[in-house]
Amino acid sequence: MSEHVHTLHPSLWENLLQVNPDDVCRRSGAQFDSSTNSYLLDFLLERYRIHPRNREFEPLTGPIPPGGPSIDLKVTIITYLLSAKAVPLAGKLVSGSNLKGGMTFFQGVHRLPIEPLMERYGKDPEDFLARGLSLGATQEAFGDVGLRFPALPRVPVFMVLWAADEEFPARLNVLFDASIEQHLPLDAIYGLVSEICYRMRR
């Protein structure tokens, strides 16, 4: 995993502690366990328990990465619980640069970390498909291989690979449903994609 872009500030826990759990679940698609006063939320095939009062982020099931969830994933998930809106998918796919402020944000240190995936899978689209399916993605009819990742309940993330051939190098695009702006700020979107890329590289 690359260097973390987030820190888990105590105010995130405080904000999550103060909001109404029913409202959080309605907006985000999370579940609330009243016996432990904690939220249950899925990221890909992984399930986490988020306990605001104890400030605990506990992996429950799924192929949890070595060392447990990263700081970036913790911040992204808590931000999602606080920010998600009860809106349907827009049904329109956009790139990061199409999001408000995305043209300038997704550059430099925030350039989406897809180059290692192109190096690994650029000549092996079948392995790209197999790895994506193992993470819970479904195949879409885009490019040579298109994948739809169930990143968060209201936030699918799409990856489209065009394999290298004699004329052109491999290309990989990351796309989002346009509604993602309703649920996450740009830095959390970057963290979310980074987590998926990390798992795709393993």
Side-chain angles (χ1 to χ4, degrees):
M1 188 74 183
S2 58
E3 193 172 320
H4 297 308
V5 297
H6 293 112
T7 57
L8 186 47
H9 195 276
S11 63
L12 285 173
W13 288 119
E14 291 298 325
N15 292 341
L16 189 57
L17 190 59
Q18 293 171 16
V19 292
N20 183 295
D22 290 338
D23 181 57
V24 171
C25 293
R26 178 185 62 83
R27 292 186 292 99
S28 69
Q31 298 174 312
F32 187 73
D33 181 358
S34 58
S35 66
T36 60
N37 291 317
S38 61
Y39 295 94
L40 302 175
L41 189 73
D42 295 334
F43 166 71
L44 301 177
L45 296 179
E46 305 161 19
R47 171 159 287 200
Y48 293 96
R49 182 187 300 278
I50 301 98
H51 200 307
R53 189 171 301 279
N54 295 348
R55 299 186 179 182
E56 293 176 348
F57 200 103
E58 177 189 2
L60 295 179
T61 60
I64 309 298
S70 71
I71 292 293
D72 291 341
L73 183 61
K74 292 177 183 179
V75 173
T76 296
I77 284 181
I78 295 174
T79 300
Y80 172 76
L81 291 173
L82 291 168
S83 304
K85 306 293 189 298
V87 296
L89 294 175
K92 175 185 177 182
L93 296 184
V94 297
S95 67
S97 62
N98 295 132
L99 302 175
K100 185 177 181 180
M103 180 72 73
T104 54
F105 181 84
F106 292 111
Q107 297 185 31
V109 297
H110 291 129
R111 183 179 175 86
L112 295 177
I114 58 175
E115 285 80 5
L117 300 189
M118 288 189 286
E119 291 175 10
R120 175 169 177 176
Y121 299 112
K123 295 183 178 179
D124 194 352
E126 294 82 6
D127 195 29
F128 179 77
L129 174 61
R131 180 58 182 161
L133 295 178
S134 76
L135 295 174
T138 53
Q139 187 171 10
E140 297 280 339
F142 304 130
D144 290 323
V145 178
L147 294 172
R148 172 184 172 139
F149 294 87
L152 293 167
R154 293 190 182 276
V155 182
V157 173
F158 299 80
M159 287 188 177
V160 183
L161 175 69
W162 285 266
D165 59 24
E166 288 131 3
E167 294 185 51
F168 299 103
R171 290 184 294 135
L172 180 64
N173 284 357
V174 179
L175 301 172
F176 312 97
D177 185 85
S179 63
I180 195 171
E181 293 182 297
Q182 303 288 319
H183 308 300
L184 292 171
L186 295 177
D187 61 337
I189 294 172
Y190 174 83
L192 188 68
V193 174
S194 296
E195 290 292 321
I196 295 173
C197 289
Y198 172 61
R199 285 155 179 77
M200 284 293 289
R201 294 198 304 268
R202 289 180 55 220

